Amino acid sequence: MTLFQKELLENWRNKKWIWVPLVMILISIMDPLTTYYLPQIIDSVGGVPEGTTFELPEFAPPEVMMMSLSQLSFLGVLVVVLIAMGTIAGERKSGISELILVKPVHYMNYITAKWASYLLLVWVSLLLALLVSWYYINLLFGTISFSDFLITYIFYGLWLTLVVSLTIFYNTVIKSSGLVLFFTILTIMVMSIVTQIFQHILDWSPNNLSTYIIESISTGELHSELILTGVITLAISIVLILVSGQLFKRKEMAG
């Protein structure tokens, strides 16, 4: 708990508790607002040539929510990796981790304190981002129920949990923050490509979470595929953290 509180305080001092939620909110509402106000935006910059007809398709609320999740899956994931990419790698490189671990601190406690502090930051930021997005979708496009909002929040939160876990894992393997960023993003991209190629086999790949979320809120039913994919995503995250603890212990003991 002491290490956890230290991490929370450090994130507060670095203003992460301010700018991360704000950035996530902007990312989540960017597409819904742009889509709704596109005709006005076009008019304000000179409009379309005379005689040209321009009609926007009607978007159902779940489709607009998918826009928010798509942006979060790209820019939001990048923000999450950026904030966590140096949390252990930076301390290992500067020697701070050695000073902390000289005290009676268990390696696993050191890892899980960082993991938990970033999960709290990410989950709170995601909650605020999706709440604002949900508000504008209900206001401009149609109704998404609160239960559907909760499904979106909980299961998409599991995807970001995996992203945080993957970033922590590479932090324990590599001392360079830049390489942590590179390998984390590369792994997510490879996972996405492999999932698309072997879609018929990898039904429960974590990369399918967004698709299953939209299917569930479109039909109003909590699909078994979504639940199972969520469980597998959480299991992979926990395994990554357990492996991270062991790798970190070996590397630190090896000097």
Side-chain angles (χ1 to χ4, degrees), residues 3 97 99-111:
L3 287 171
S97 62
L99 293 174
I100 294 172
L101 293 166
V102 164
K103 299 171 184 178
V105 173
H106 195 276
Y107 292 96
M108 204 64 203
N109 290 343
Y110 178 75
I111 298 288

Side-chain angles (χ1 to χ4, degrees), residues 87-105:
T87 183
I88 297 171
E91 289 188 359
R92 287 177 65 207
K93 198 171 183 180
S94 63
I96 293 173
S97 62
E98 291 178 15
L99 293 174
I100 294 172
L101 293 166
V102 164
K103 299 171 184 178
V105 173

Side-chain angles (χ1 to χ4, degrees), residues 151 155 209 212-213 216 222-231:
I151 288 170
F155 285 97
L209 270 174
Y212 291 147
I213 289 168
S216 288
L222 188 59
H223 291 185
S224 58
E225 292 92 342
L226 177 59
I227 296 171
L228 193 52
T229 306
V231 170

Side-chain angles (χ1 to χ4, degrees), residues 48-49 51-55:
V48 294
T52 305
T53 57
F54 182 78
E55 288 185 13

Side-chain angles (χ1 to χ4, degrees), residues 115-178:
W115 183 58
S117 68
Y118 279 102
L119 283 186
L120 184 61
L121 174 59
V122 167
W123 277 76
V124 170
S125 300
L126 179 65
L127 176 62
L128 296 174
L130 288 181
L131 272 174
V132 175
S133 177
W134 179 57
Y135 169 76
Y136 278 112
I137 290 170
N138 282 341
L139 188 68
L140 303 174
F141 293 95
T143 304
I144 287 181
S145 68
F146 183 68
S147 60
D148 286 340
F149 163 78
L150 281 179
I151 288 170
T152 306
Y153 171 61
I154 291 167
F155 285 97
Y156 196 78
L158 291 176
W159 166 247
L160 292 186
T161 297
L162 177 60
V163 174
V164 172
S165 305
L166 198 56
T167 312
I168 294 290
F169 170 76
Y170 279 119
N171 263 277
T172 60
V173 176
I174 307 163
K175 285 188 179 181
S176 167
S177 300

Side-chain angles (χ1 to χ4, degrees), residues 49-103:
E50 220 172 293
T52 305
T53 57
F54 182 78
E55 288 185 13
L56 277 175
E58 291 286 329
F59 289 103
E63 292 176 313
V64 185
M65 181 60 82
M66 187 63 189
M67 293 179 191
S68 291
L69 294 187
S70 296
Q71 287 297 327
L72 286 169
S73 294
F74 175 56
L75 295 173
V77 164
L78 187 59
V79 169
V80 171
V81 179
L82 282 169
I83 62 172
M85 68 181 188
T87 183
I88 297 171
E91 289 188 359
R92 287 177 65 207
K93 198 171 183 180
S94 63
I96 293 173
S97 62
E98 291 178 15
L99 293 174
I100 294 172
L101 293 166
V102 164
K103 299 171 184 178

Side-chain angles (χ1 to χ4, degrees), residues 14 18 45 112 121 171 173 177 192 199 204 210 229 234 236 244:
N14 293 335
I18 298 171
V45 295
T112 53
L121 174 59
N171 263 277
V173 176
S177 300
S192 178
Q199 185 71 50
W204 303 320
S210 292
T229 306
L234 182 60
I236 294 170
S244 298

